[in-house]
Amino acid sequence: MPLKTTAADMVSTARARIREVETKDAIAMVDDPDVVIVDIRDIRERQRSGYIPGSVHAPRGMIEFWVDPDSPYFKEVFGQADKTYLFHCASGWRSALTVATLQDMGFDAAHLREGFSTWETQGGPVEKSDV
């Protein structure tokens, strides 16, 4: 049975209404204390591929609850009104959907357009997990 909307259509719709950051621009933001880089990939992806130094790991399945101050799962890292939040996944699909949802909630954020897939090849720093 065909779907009413494909995942690709959902990503395209999200991208049309959110702020996207190019990899080279995101690399320049790594050491900016006013930027919080949020990695929504699965923990196994982070362990396998590494991660952006200083990034916050927030699994996609919990992000709406972690940013909501009224949720029992709220995380203080998301309560900093003076910060710029940049979300990423592996290819930019999950983070586009996530940022669109957060925008609907009233949470201001952007996402890394191509995700982590081009991060290292464009010179972005990567930390590897010992686990």
Side-chain angles (χ1 to χ4, degrees):
M1 173 180 347
L3 298 172
K4 291 180 190 179
T5 303
T6 66
D9 290 339
M10 291 175 63
V11 170
S12 179
T13 299
R15 285 184 158 168
R17 65 185 186 93
I18 63 173
R19 192 174 67 197
E20 298 190 296
V21 176
E22 297 294 332
T23 302
K24 65 179 174 48
D25 297 323
I27 290 170
M29 301 166 97
V30 168
D31 294 322
D32 186 336
D34 294 326
V35 175
V36 178
I37 298 175
V38 183
D39 185 344
I40 64 167
R41 295 175 300 154
D42 180 89
I43 189 67
R44 291 174 297 273
E45 291 176 277
R46 283 175 57 94
Q47 291 168 341
R48 184 176 53 250
S49 305
Y51 53 91
I52 298 171
S55 63
V56 172
H57 182 233
R60 182 172 182 241
M62 290 299 294
I63 198 62
E64 293 87 353
F65 303 103
W66 284 18
V67 304
D68 182 353
D70 294 329
S71 165
Y73 301 104
F74 175 68
K75 300 289 184 190
E76 288 293 330
V77 68
F78 296 108
Q80 305 172 80
D82 59 338
K83 302 290 184 183
T84 297
Y85 291 89
L86 177 64
F87 286 75
H88 81 86
C89 61
S91 65
W93 283 41
R94 289 173 287 177
S95 58
L97 294 176
T98 299
V99 168
T101 298
L102 295 179
Q103 183 175 291
D104 290 345
M105 293 174 70
F107 187 90
D108 187 33
H111 93 115
L112 181 57
R113 190 175 75 76
E114 293 180 317
F116 194 73
S117 65
T118 62
W119 184 262
E120 197 167 13
T121 60
Q122 291 192 28
V126 174
E127 286 187 15
K128 301 287 182 173
S129 175
D130 292 335
V131 180

